[in-house]
Amino acid sequence: MQQVNSDTPNDPAPSRWSYRFQRLMLTPLFRKVLRVGIPFCLTFAIAAGYLSDRDRQDSIRLAVADFRHQIETRPEFMINLLAIEGASPSIEEDIREIFPFDLPASSFDLDLESVREMIVGLPAVADADVRVRQGGVLVAEVSEREPVVVWRSHDGLALVDIEGVVTDELDARSERFDLPAIAGAGGNQDVPGAIAILEAAAPIKANVLGLVRIGERRWDLVLKEGQRILLPEENPVRALERVIVLSQVQDMLERDIVVVDMRLSDRPTLRMNERAVEDWWRVTKLTVGAQQQ
Amino acid sequence: MIELYDSQRAMRNMRKAAMQRGVVAVLDVGTSKIACLVLRFDGTERLNDGEGVGAMAGQAGFRVIGAATTRSRGVRFGEIEAMQETERAIRTALQAAQKMANIRVDHVIACFSGASPRSYGLAGQVELEGHVVSEQDVSRVLSACDVPAYGEGREVLHAQPVNFALDHRTGLSDPRGQLGQVLSTDMHMVTIDAVAVQNLAHCVKRCDLELAGLASSAYVSGNAALVEDEQELGAACIDLGGGSAGVSIFIKKHMIYSDSVRIGGDHVTNDISMGLQIPQATAERIKTFYGGVVATGMDDRELIEIGGETGDWEHDRRTVSRAELIGIMRPRVEEILEEVRARLDAAGFGYLPSQQIVLTGGGSQIPGLDGLASRILGQQVRLGRPLRVHGLPQAATGPGFASAVGMCLFAANPQDEWWDFEIPVDRYPARSLRRAVKWFKDNW
C-alpha cells in the first residue's frame, strides 16, 4: 500500500549530517586517531591521574621493593659458604680476611667481578676464577704465583716469580736455598733472562753465587771466589757459553782472574789479580832477560 | 578565448591531484539512475604508455573498488531540475559507493547526457615560424581556430583536436618535429548550456566534493561501447538513456560529432502508463519485464496482469496482452530511432567509410530492438555492452552502465583537449613587447 505521508522517509538518502559523519569515519587519518590515538591518550591520562598521588607512588614503590627482597632472600639464591681452591693456607687466610661480604648473603648482592678483582689484587695470586656453585657455595679458584728466584735489594730479601712480581718477603737466604739469587736494583725486571743465564751456567753451577743487575740493563754473573763475568746486554747466554767453553778448554776460571769482561763480544777482556800480574811481569822479564843474555 | 578555459584547466589540475592521491569517483547523473563508481589508481598506467592500446585497452592502471546505483530523482532530460532531490540522490549513491570502497572520496568526475549539446567543427591554419613543428606551433594553430558564435549562456565542454595537416599531408595525429610550412588543424568542439553545468557543480559541491572533470555522456559511452576498430573506421554510438538518447560519431579514434535526442525510455514508460492507465512504477515494471518492439502471434495470448489499488475488483484485475504493450511501445521507440536517424543524416554519417551503429544504454535492452533499429538506421547495427574493467561488479556490467564505464576510461586516459596544450607564447604580454621591439628592428 502506498504511504500517504510523503515526508515519511521511504527516502534512502542519508541526511547531510549523517553523510558527513560517514565521510569523516572513512577518512584514514581520523580512523587511525580514533582507533589508536584516543585509547592511548585515555589510558595514559587515567594512569597519570592515578599515579600522580605521592602516597600511591610510595606504596607501589614499597610493594615492588618488598617483592624484590622476598625473591632475593629465597634460600635458592643465598650464599652460605666461601670455598677457596688451589691456594696455600696463608693466601686463603688473606682472601677470607679481605672478602667484604657477611655470609650468608644473597647472590643478587654479590658482585662476582669485584670479588675476583679483589682476589687478583693480592700479590701472591696470579689469577682467580670466582663463581657460585649449586647449594649456596661461592667458589674461588685461585692460582698462586710460583717464586723462582730470591731477589736481594735495598729493602731486603724477596721472592720473585717469573713475571717479576714480588710474591713474598724473606727473612733469611737460608730459608730458600733451593732458589737461585739475583741482586741489584731492577733485578726483578728481567727474571726470565736471569733464569736463562743461570740455566746456561749449569756446568759451573757449583761456583755460581748469583746474578747482579747492573745499571738496570745487564747482568753480572758472580762466582764464589769473587770472580765476575760481565755479560753484555744483547745475547748474554751466548757470551756466557763462550766463557764456559774457554774455561773448560783452558781452565780459565781456575786461574788468577778477577773479571771476565764479555761486554764487547769482539774483544773479551780479562783482568787478573794484582799479584798475578806482578808474577807475570816477573816471569816475562826473566824470559826476556834470558833471551837478552 | 583563453579565459574561457580557466575552469577547465582548474578541473584538469584537480584531476591530476586526484590521480596522485589515487582515488577518484565517477558519477553518471542520468535521468533514470545515478551511478557512482569509485576508482583506485595503482600508478601502473605508465606501463603501456607507448604505442597503441595494450592488452587491457589501457585500463590496467585502475580498479573499481566501489560501485553503487540509485534511482535518480529530480532529473529530467538529463538535466537537473530539482536540485535538492538530485543532491540527495547523488549523496545516496556516493555514500553507498564509499561504503563499499571503504575509503573517502574527495574528487568526482561527472557526466550527464542533457543540456542540449551542440557540436561544431573548427578549422585553423598558421604559417610555421621555423621549418619544424614545435609545441608552440601546435598551440598557435589551436588558438588560430575561428570559434563560431555559439551563443550566450553556453559553455565549451569538449574541444578536441581531431586532425592535423602539414602542407598537403593530412591525417597526422602528432605533427611535432615534422618539417613543413603551413600547419592546419581540425577541431571538434561541443558546447552545452552553462546553467546545467552550474547546477551539477552546485549539487556536487553540496555533497562536499570537488568536481574534477566533466564529460558528455554520449562521448564517454561511445568510448566504452565501441571496440577499437569501430572507433578507427567510423561508427556511431547511440546511448538510449532514460530521458534522452545521446548520439556520438567516432572516426580515427576521435569523436567528430555529438548530439542528443530529448526522448528516452521514460517517455516509453509514460506512454504505457497513460495508455493502460496504470501508475508510473507499474508501467516501468511491465516495460522491463514484458516489453518488446516486435509482436508475434504468441504475444496475443500472453496476458499481463496490470493490477491496481483502487479496491474495485474489476479495475484491479485488468490484464493486457503483450501485443498491446508492444503496440504502445513500438511507435515511441520508432520515434526515438527516427529522430536519431535525422541527427545522423544531418551529421553526414552516410559519408563515412564504415557505418557501424552501436546501440547501448538501458534502452537498448528492449527485446527485438536491433531488428527495428536496423530497419531505421541501416544494416550494420549491433547491441553494445561496455568494456570490462577491473573490479566492476557483475550488476554494473550491463549496457545501462556504458557511460559510467566510459567515464572510468576517460579518467584513466583522457583525450587531449585544447586546454591541455600550452598557452601560445605570443599571448603573454612579455612576448608582445619583444615582438614590438622586433618590428622596430625589422623596419628601421
Side-chain angles (χ1 to χ4, degrees):
Chain A
M1 293 290 127
Q2 202 165 16
Q3 293 189 342
V4 180
N5 190 351
S6 68
D7 262 354
T8 43
N10 212 339
D11 185 3
S15 73
R16 252 175 102 80
W17 286 110
S18 80
Y19 171 77
R20 278 186 183 160
F21 177 70
Q22 202 218 10
R23 275 171 66 78
L24 188 66
M25 293 302 284
L26 284 174
T27 311
L29 183 67
F30 183 80
R31 279 165 70 174
K32 205 165 276 177
V33 165
L34 208 63
R35 215 179 54 223
V36 180
I38 289 181
F40 177 77
C41 290
L42 214 63
T43 317
F44 188 80
I46 289 172
Y50 182 76
L51 291 178
S52 59
D53 189 7
R54 176 159 289 276
D55 291 347
R56 281 202 196 109
Q57 276 178 21
D58 288 345
S59 70
I60 287 172
R61 211 169 287 146
L62 203 67
V64 168
D66 199 31
F67 188 61
R68 194 184 154 87
H69 183 72
Q70 268 181 24
I71 290 175
E72 282 175 355
T73 53
R74 283 177 77 85
E76 290 87 343
F77 296 124
M78 293 304 282
I79 299 225
N80 303 312
L81 207 61
L82 173 64
I84 295 166
E85 289 176 2
S88 58
S90 67
I91 292 174
E92 190 176 335
E93 214 165 88
D94 286 351
I95 291 173
R96 283 191 192 286
E97 205 166 286
I98 62 165
F99 186 69
F101 299 101
D102 292 334
L103 296 179
S106 167
S107 59
F108 284 97
D109 299 333
L110 285 180
D111 184 0
L112 292 184
E113 191 54 34
S114 75
V115 170
R116 196 191 88 87
E117 268 164 23
M118 210 171 284
I119 294 174
V120 170
L122 287 175
V125 175
D127 199 8
D129 189 12
V130 180
R131 62 176 185 273
V132 175
R133 194 183 285 169
Q134 227 168 13
V137 182
L138 182 69
V139 180
E141 277 180 20
V142 177
S143 54
E144 282 186 41
R145 290 190 190 275
E146 199 68 36
V148 287
V149 288
V150 176
W151 177 38
R152 186 191 292 275
S153 62
H154 290 298
D155 304 334
L157 286 169
L159 289 169
V160 174
D161 80 335
I162 192 82
E163 287 167 25
V165 179
V166 175
T167 58
D168 209 353
E169 305 280 302
L170 204 62
D171 292 335
R173 173 79 175 95
S174 54
E175 281 179 27
R176 296 300 295 263
F177 259 134
D178 54 328
L179 297 180
I182 58 174
N188 61 340
Q189 281 165 10
D190 187 25
V191 178
I195 299 285
I197 291 168
L198 289 168
E199 270 171 15
I204 51 168
K205 194 176 178 186
N207 269 346
V208 172
L209 208 59
L211 284 169
V212 179
R213 188 73 165 166
I214 305 294
E216 297 199 13
R217 59 186 177 88
R218 63 177 197 83
W219 293 103
D220 271 9
L221 188 66
V222 180
L223 301 182
K224 276 204 174 133
E225 280 148 33
Q227 292 173 326
R228 277 184 172 241
I229 302 174
L230 278 57
L231 296 172
E233 214 171 325
E234 303 281 320
N235 257 335
V237 173
R238 190 161 163 67
L240 181 61
E241 277 167 357
R242 282 176 68 188
V243 173
I244 290 168
V245 167
L246 275 176
S247 125
Q248 277 172 350
V249 173
Q250 304 194 346
D251 290 339
M252 187 180 76
L253 295 176
E254 308 293 314
R255 303 176 189 223
D256 250 347
I257 288 171
V258 182
V259 169
V260 183
D261 187 348
M262 298 296 289
R263 286 178 293 185
L264 297 173
S265 59
D266 306 345
R267 194 166 53 92
T269 314
L270 302 180
R271 191 197 304 164
M272 294 193 292
N273 223 333
E274 202 178 321
R275 285 199 45 206
V277 173
E278 281 171 12
D279 277 355
W280 191 54
W281 282 344
R282 192 169 52 82
V283 170
T284 336
K285 218 176 268 175
L286 279 180
T287 10
V288 171
Q291 273 177 357
Q292 279 173 351
Q293 285 166 8
Chain B
M1 212 45 236
I2 283 158
E3 304 76 44
L4 211 148
Y5 299 126
D6 280 349
S7 64
Q8 291 278 14
R9 280 180 198 279
M11 278 202 277
R12 186 189 59 169
N13 290 337
M14 204 113 61
R15 197 155 67 217
K16 273 186 183 163
M19 292 281 183
Q20 225 142 35
R21 191 181 284 190
V23 180
V24 69
V26 303
L27 190 67
D28 173 22
V29 183
T31 314
S32 57
K33 71 163 172 23
I34 288 181
C36 176
L37 305 180
V38 179
L39 310 184
R40 192 181 61 211
F41 289 91
D42 313 330
T44 53
E45 74 261 40
R46 292 276 82 89
L47 278 181
N48 44 20
D49 202 20
E51 304 306 303
V53 177
M56 288 302 297
Q59 22 147 336
F62 68 88
R63 189 181 173 81
V64 178
I65 54 171
T69 318
T70 185
R71 186 173 64 93
S72 175
R73 295 180 298 170
V75 182
R76 276 183 68 200
F77 301 122
E79 294 155 23
I80 294 171
E81 213 179 48
M83 296 260 275
Q84 309 297 329
E85 290 288 298
T86 314
E87 184 204 323
R88 281 157 166 270
I90 290 175
R91 219 154 57 197
T92 315
L94 260 166
Q95 188 180 36
Q98 282 183 68
K99 200 167 181 175
M100 180 172 162
N102 204 15
I103 197 163
R104 175 189 167 139
V105 186
D106 287 330
H107 298 91
V108 68
I109 303 177
C111 81
F112 55 96
S113 55
S116 52
R118 231 172 278 159
S119 142
Y120 300 90
L122 273 55
Q125 188 169 7
V126 286
E127 297 247 344
L128 293 186
E129 280 181 345
H131 287 293
V132 181
V133 181
S134 64
E135 299 242 1
Q136 276 301 317
D137 291 323
V138 176
S139 310
R140 277 194 320 132
V141 74
L142 288 176
S143 336
C145 290
D146 39 355
V147 178
Y150 46 73
E152 275 297 304
R154 289 183 71 81
E155 211 164 291
V156 178
L157 183 63
H158 293 293
Q160 300 162 339
V162 296
N163 183 30
F164 288 100
L166 195 56
D167 297 344
H168 55 278
R169 290 181 299 144
T170 183
L172 306 174
S173 59
D174 185 359
R176 281 175 303 172
Q178 303 204 35
L179 296 174
Q181 308 280 322
V182 179
L183 181 69
S184 53
T185 185
D186 298 316
M187 193 151 63
H188 176 235
M189 186 168 85
V190 180
T191 64
I192 48 167
D193 281 339
V195 179
V197 178
Q198 280 160 13
N199 286 347
L200 181 65
H202 185 70
C203 276
V204 168
K205 200 175 171 203
R206 291 265 297 170
C207 294
D208 304 335
L209 296 163
E210 308 239 36
L211 194 60
L214 268 180
S216 147
S217 96
Y219 170 55
V220 291
S221 59
N223 256 346
L226 298 185
V227 295
E228 200 187 342
D229 56 329
E230 286 169 347
Q231 285 188 11
E232 178 71 34
L233 299 173
C237 174
I238 294 154
D239 182 5
L240 296 167
S244 63
V247 181
S248 57
I249 300 176
F250 281 74
I251 193 165
K252 291 197 171 175
K253 301 225 173 86
H254 291 291
M255 180 172 70
I256 55 166
Y257 178 77
S258 159
D259 205 342
S260 86
V261 177
R262 286 162 76 85
I263 323 173
D266 280 359
H267 297 86
V268 179
T269 310
N270 244 347
D271 288 349
I272 296 169
S273 164
M274 282 195 274
L276 302 180
Q277 307 229 318
I278 51 174
Q280 199 93 26
T282 319
E284 180 73 30
R285 189 175 144 273
I286 289 174
K287 181 184 84 170
T288 47
F289 277 148
Y290 308 104
V293 286
V294 184
T296 59
M298 180 67 181
D299 293 330
D300 282 331
R301 296 194 294 279
E302 188 178 347
L303 294 180
I304 306 162
E305 297 242 355
I306 54 176
E309 285 164 357
T310 56
D312 180 356
W313 197 88
E314 289 290 338
H315 186 264
D316 290 357
R317 293 290 174 279
R318 286 176 302 162
T319 54
V320 288
S321 70
R322 186 160 179 243
E324 266 180 285
L325 179 66
I326 289 172
I328 295 172
M329 285 175 70
R330 183 173 172 126
R332 184 60 91 170
V333 175
E334 277 178 350
E335 189 191 352
I336 296 172
L337 292 176
E338 270 159 13
E339 200 67 37
V340 168
R341 170 87 246 173
R343 302 296 165 99
L344 288 180
D345 284 344
F349 181 62
Y351 300 107
L352 290 193
S354 155
Q355 294 171 26
Q356 181 76 40
I357 288 174
V358 178
L359 300 173
T360 186
S364 71
Q365 288 163 303
I366 306 174
L369 181 72
D370 47 347
L372 181 63
S374 65
R375 228 181 265 173
I376 297 173
L377 297 175
Q379 282 305 310
Q380 296 172 304
V381 173
R382 72 170 181 97
L383 299 180
R385 298 168 71 85
L387 277 172
R388 286 173 298 173
V389 292
H390 272 299
L392 194 68
Q394 180 65 33
T397 53
F401 289 85
S403 51
V405 172
M407 292 284 291
C408 300
L409 305 180
F410 174 77
N413 27 5
Q415 164 103 43
D416 284 342
E417 308 249 8
W418 189 347
W419 39 86
D420 292 335
F421 292 91
E422 291 172 32
I423 300 173
V425 172
D426 56 358
R427 302 294 175 108
Y428 288 128
R431 176 74 179 187
S432 62
L433 198 69
R434 205 175 304 159
R435 274 158 64 97
V437 172
K438 188 170 177 285
W439 185 84
F440 267 100
K441 268 189 187 164
D442 290 348
N443 292 283
W444 296 73

